[in-house]
Structure formats: C-alpha cells, structure tokens
Amino acid sequence: MIASSRDAVKVDAEAAELEKLGSKTLRITSDVQDRGSMEALSQAAAAEFGRIDVLVVTSGALQKGPTTEFSDADWHRVVDINLNGSFRANQIFGRHMIAQNGGSIINIASMTTFVSFNEVASYGASKAGVAGLTRQLACEWAKHNVRVNAIAPGVFRTPLNTKALDIPERAQAILGKTPMGRFGKVEELQGVALLLASGAGSFLTGQVIAVDGGFLAKGI
C-alpha cells in the first residue's frame, strides 16, 4: 500500500505507520496537477509490487466565494485539482489495470455532486464532473475487468472544512438536514471503501455511493 501526496512530511509519516503494521510501501510524493509525478508514481508502484490493484483518488480543493466575483484563475485551479486531477490519475493508473486485466478505482465525489451548497460553484461543478467521469470510465473499462466507482462523503470534519464547521449557524444548518444529527467520522468511510476495493464489490461499477448520514434522503 502506498500513500502519496504533495507533502513529503505527510508521505513519510504515513509510510512509517504502514510499516509499523507490517505493510510494504514506498515514499513517493505526487501531485494530481503534475502528470509527470503521477506517471512516476504509477511506474514505481508497478515496478515494486508487480501490479496495481486499487487506486483511491482523494485530492481536492475548495474555494468559497460569490460566483460573480470568482476569477478565471481560481475557477481553473479548483477544477484542475478536482476534475482534471481525477482524470489524470484514472487515466495513468487505469492503463496499468487494463494491461493486467483487472483493478478497482475509487474516486471521491461530494454532496455537491448531487445538490448545491452556497457559493461553491467551482467545487460543485468539478465534483459533478467526477461523477460523470466515473460513470464514463466504468462503462468503457468494464470489458477489461476494471471497476470504477466513487464515494460521496457527507459532512466530515477535515482540514478542508473545519473552519466552516466551527461557525455555529453553519454547523446547525448542516446538522438540521442530516437525519443522524451529527457529522461523519472519517473511519466511517472505511466500510464502503473496502467494499469497492475488494472482491465483495465485484459486480459494482459506475456507482457513486453516498455516505452521508441520510443527508440526501431528507426532504422537508
């Protein structure tokens, strides 16, 4: 198993944790905005392990602001990380999976894949695109025994959103629309990730699975 990101310190820390658990890993940084780094990561993984069975694409960027005041540069940055970055990772690692006739790709979508949140047009558009990309590749690559699915987390406290969730009125607005009445715990994403990564999900492809405490199900 390999945990890779732009941050070498985090990569090193995650590798150390994996090694403590007895897992073989590599210490390689990568950036979904840098095709060369993604290709280097895929080549190193294939060389070290012989094959690539699972890819989880977790990179993401969020920038809040009125759409009428959003610059082209800000729009392109968010879309490039969230949507174009997912495409690059899927394409590069998908080639290995197609060559070996099997694999599972798990993309990360969002609640904004399905519904709108206030003043996050670039994020919502990019995450809707991730769902479309997931379905397209699932159908195109099914003949190669490569499954492509996505997880759409509900509201989980992460470094990306913690400041927003610390605003009492925003937190209450979210919790009021979540039947389970709480934010998710990151470990609660593990079950669906394991399902999609393993043989237990062998007939699942092209799906965007919400893990949201009932958020999408709630009406009035």
Side-chain angles (χ1 to χ4, degrees), residues 21-156:
L21 296 172
S23 177
K24 185 178 180 181
T25 189
L26 295 174
R27 286 169 165 79
I28 301 179
T29 58
S30 62
D31 183 348
V32 294
Q33 292 186 279
D34 179 351
R35 176 173 288 274
S37 78
M38 297 301 294
E39 290 174 341
L41 174 62
S42 68
Q43 291 164 7
E48 183 68 24
F49 294 93
R51 57 184 291 123
I52 299 171
D53 291 308
V54 180
L55 168 70
V56 184
V57 185
T58 62
S59 55
L62 170 67
Q63 183 165 336
K64 190 175 187 297
T67 304
T68 53
E69 299 174 16
F70 225 71
S71 70
D72 280 0
D74 288 337
W75 176 275
H76 289 309
R77 183 184 68 85
V78 172
V79 171
D80 193 52
I81 293 170
N82 295 349
L83 178 55
N84 299 343
S86 294
F87 163 71
R88 291 184 194 102
N90 280 229
Q91 182 190 58
I92 290 166
F93 284 82
R95 287 171 178 154
H96 283 280
M97 293 180 180
I98 289 169
Q100 68 193 20
N101 194 42
S104 173
I105 295 174
I106 304 170
N107 294 315
I108 300 300
S110 163
M111 290 296 95
T112 62
T113 300
F114 306 99
V115 296
S116 65
F117 279 35
N118 189 40
E119 295 187 339
V120 289
S122 60
Y123 183 78
S126 65
K127 287 299 186 177
V130 168
L133 176 68
T134 296
R135 288 189 287 266
Q136 288 290 140
L137 297 184
C139 294
E140 184 177 341
W141 295 349
K143 63 186 177 185
H144 301 292
N145 197 33
V146 176
R147 298 183 294 108
V148 188
N149 294 286
I151 298 172
V155 182
F156 291 72

Side-chain angles (χ1 to χ4, degrees), residues 190-208:
Q190 294 174 356
V192 68
L194 288 171
L195 170 66
L196 295 175
S198 71
S202 58
F203 202 52
L204 276 169
T205 198
Q207 302 304 305
V208 181

